[in-house]
Amino acid sequence: MLTEILQTLPQVLIDGLTLGAVYAVIALGYTMVYGILELINFAHGEIFMSGAFIGTAILITLTSLGWTSMLPAVVSLIIMLLITSLITGFLGMGIERVAYRPLRKAPKLIALISAIGISFLLQDIVRFITELFKGNYILTSPSLFSNKINIGSVFGSHAASFKSSFLVVIIVAVILMVGLDFFVNKTKWGMAMRAVAQDRDTASLMSINVNKVISVTFFVGSALGGATGVLFAVQYGTIDPYIGFILGLKAFTAAVLGGIGNIRGAMLGGMLIGLIEMFTAANLSVITGGVMGAEYKDVVAFGILIIVLIFKPEGLFGKAVAEKV
């Protein structure tokens, strides 16, 4: 059994890091909003999904105009990331202004229901627009980074392979995570966000515009979510309006696992969930003697989350705090 597990390990690490990077960046959007508003923004998964569709639409447009054959793939990717991040960033700000701000003093359950409603609304809007223009709500993205790279055997394992898009996803995801960490910890806006997260009323008394800070938080979180959608479309190719639901839940799980409200914890939580999911998909059948297969990978991931929350409810890197009254 150990030999079989070692044989799959290099490929598991490659696939797990790719998926984990996606989870990690999406989880940042959840943890930023929760850290300031104590709101679980369940519409964030659909922001990610919208980013995947917007990025794919941009790439299809560039391809139809013949620009992708003239521009380097990296330039096309940068154009997709910039335009998509701006659109999804403003989309997130609009959702906060329309659906969340009027409910800020309402019970938290009301805001949560509003977030779920926005989630379903975005799903149906994207599906309607896609079917209107393409006749089908499932889109396949043109290939940008499709070259296969093989690596030699490791630990006596079979050779592993990955698309060049794997490197792109990892590099861009790391840049986004490091950039966000710098923004939150080293800039005035980041300091304002941390102040509002600590105490909204006191922050407002110290001349911090709380509404503006919350809007910027939604813009940054949604821009990151949209950019991650582009990375997902580039890596996996095929997208539909419902990818945001399960990926959003996994990213939320990653945020809780790392410590909801803790940015660095969300990053590591995403990586852990991705690696656990890929390891389970590749080896669960071997470990259980064929009783359970790869389809149980979600059960294992959420099971580990439950165990962590039983013994450390604040997550791996969160701090236990008293409920504000």
Side-chain angles (χ1 to χ4, degrees), residues 49 53 126 137-139 238-244:
M49 176 273 297
F53 271 85
V126 170
Y137 64 83
I138 299 175
L139 275 187
T238 302
I239 57 173
D240 65 69
Y242 307 105
I243 58 171

Side-chain angles (χ1 to χ4, degrees), residues 1-22:
M1 183 174 73
L2 183 60
T3 303
E4 292 182 58
I5 291 175
L6 288 175
Q7 285 179 343
T8 63
L9 193 57
Q11 193 65 55
V12 165
L13 289 173
I14 290 169
D15 296 338
L17 287 173
T18 307
L19 189 59
V22 172

Side-chain angles (χ1 to χ4, degrees), residues 97-109:
R97 183 67 183 85
V98 173
Y100 299 152
R101 189 177 299 182
L103 302 175
R104 201 172 288 167
K105 297 186 183 299
K108 292 177 183 177
L109 181 60

Side-chain angles (χ1 to χ4, degrees), residues 93-240:
M93 286 178 67
I95 290 172
E96 186 275 329
R97 183 67 183 85
V98 173
Y100 299 152
R101 189 177 299 182
L103 302 175
R104 201 172 288 167
K105 297 186 183 299
K108 292 177 183 177
L109 181 60
I110 304 299
L112 179 63
I113 293 170
S114 178
I116 294 172
I118 291 293
S119 173
F120 285 117
L121 184 65
L122 284 176
Q123 283 181 8
D124 287 337
I125 288 174
V126 170
R127 175 168 179 160
F128 173 77
I129 293 173
T130 308
E131 285 185 329
L132 186 65
F133 286 95
K134 302 296 290 186
N136 189 356
Y137 64 83
I138 299 175
L139 275 187
T140 299
S141 174
S143 297
L144 263 186
F145 304 92
S146 56
N147 297 333
K148 277 265 186 172
I149 300 172
N150 294 307
I151 59 176
S153 60
V154 182
F155 308 124
S157 64
H158 298 300
S161 64
F162 57 87
K163 294 193 299 182
S164 54
S165 57
F166 160 75
L167 296 175
V168 173
V169 170
I170 293 296
I171 291 169
V172 174
V174 169
I175 291 172
L176 292 175
M177 288 187 279
V178 172
L180 178 66
D181 191 71
F182 177 84
F183 176 76
V184 170
N185 291 297
K186 302 294 183 182
T187 66
K188 287 185 178 180
W189 276 109
M191 187 183 298
M193 287 178 183
R194 286 182 282 127
V196 172
Q198 282 287 111
D199 192 317
R200 242 184 286 170
D201 294 331
T202 303
S204 64
L205 291 173
M206 302 189 71
S207 74
I208 293 175
N209 188 326
V210 173
N211 284 333
K212 189 174 290 187
V213 169
I214 291 173
S215 292
V216 170
T217 302
F218 269 87
F219 178 88
V220 173
S222 300
L224 287 174
T228 314
V230 172
L231 297 180
F232 182 89
V234 167
Q235 173 67 18
Y236 297 105
T238 302
I239 57 173
D240 65 69

Side-chain angles (χ1 to χ4, degrees), residues 276-292:
I276 290 168
E277 187 174 330
M278 288 297 103
F279 180 84
T280 304
N283 297 301
L284 189 59
S285 179
V286 175
I287 294 171
T288 61
V291 176
M292 300 174 72

